Amino acid sequence: TTMAHEMVHAYDDKNFNLDWYNLEHHACTEIRAASLSGDCTWFQEMMRGNLGFLKHHQVCVKRRAVLSLLANPSCKSTKHAEAAVNKVFKSCFTDTRPFDEIY
């Protein structure tokens, strides 16, 4: 899943001219990478000790995106990261390019 995650970042960087210091850009690529790479499959989450059934994929994607944003020097706090993730979540989560769907 790590290679797939990084390939989504590479695709986004090439195709969308990302500014990695812009938290909304960073949040979007993290949301897409977590969702499309298999980072948040039921098995991966079970191995981490995170179990849930109701919209758990979305919860996992948001959690992992926030954790990644916290490492960005432009991010001031957890609330700052959460705000960026929540602002772009719907549009970025539904964008499955270059795939047809989430596998």
Side-chain angles (χ1 to χ4, degrees):
T1 62
T2 301
M3 181 64 82
H5 181 106
E6 296 306 323
M7 293 300 288
V8 171
H9 287 323
Y11 176 88
D12 288 354
D13 195 52
K14 181 182 184 310
N15 290 286
F16 303 122
N17 194 26
L18 293 182
D19 173 0
W20 288 91
Y21 293 102
N22 178 320
L23 286 189
E24 291 175 18
H25 287 196
H26 190 176
C28 191
T29 193
E30 292 297 346
I31 289 164
R32 287 175 32 74
S35 181
L36 298 172
S37 69
D39 282 349
C40 290
T41 62
W42 186 84
F43 180 75
Q44 288 287 353
E45 281 291 272
M46 181 187 70
M47 295 303 290
R48 293 181 191 114
N50 296 320
L51 299 174
F53 296 100
L54 195 58
K55 296 194 176 197
H56 191 76
H57 182 77
Q58 292 91 326
V59 170
C60 171
V61 168
K62 284 184 177 185
R63 185 185 70 250
R64 295 185 62 80
V66 167
L67 288 172
S68 292
L69 262 62
L70 289 172
N72 187 317
S74 298
C75 186
K76 308 294 184 227
S77 67
T78 301
K79 285 189 179 197
H80 193 203
E82 289 170 346
V85 168
N86 288 332
K87 184 172 183 181
V88 300
F89 186 79
K90 185 176 180 181
S91 63
C92 298
F93 184 76
T94 57
D95 182 358
T96 62
R97 287 175 289 177
F99 308 109
D100 293 330
E101 60 190 30
I102 298 172
Y103 294 100

